[in-house]
Amino acid sequence: MIVEDGDFAKHWLTLFEQWLPTSGWQVDDRPCFDHYLNDGSQSGVWDVDLYIPVKK
């Protein structure tokens, strides 16, 4: 995912409110986390992988 101007919540909300309910998956008990692929503090653009543990 590309995060611009520090709006990290936008992508998390999209995953939980739009993708997850239609995916057929359920959130598992393990924690969610994100992995930053670059430092966007200067440019305002971050490349981020979001991880949500799921179960059927």
Side-chain angles (χ1 to χ4, degrees), residues 10-43:
K10 173 184 170 183
H11 297 291
W12 281 109
L13 290 173
T14 298
L15 284 172
F16 279 99
E17 293 176 352
Q18 294 177 20
W19 175 79
L20 191 61
T22 62
S23 70
W25 295 91
Q26 297 178 349
V27 176
D28 195 61
D29 294 335
R30 296 167 291 162
C32 299
F33 66 95
D34 41 23
H35 176 236
Y36 296 84
L37 304 173
N38 70 320
D39 179 0
S41 58
Q42 295 296 317
S43 67

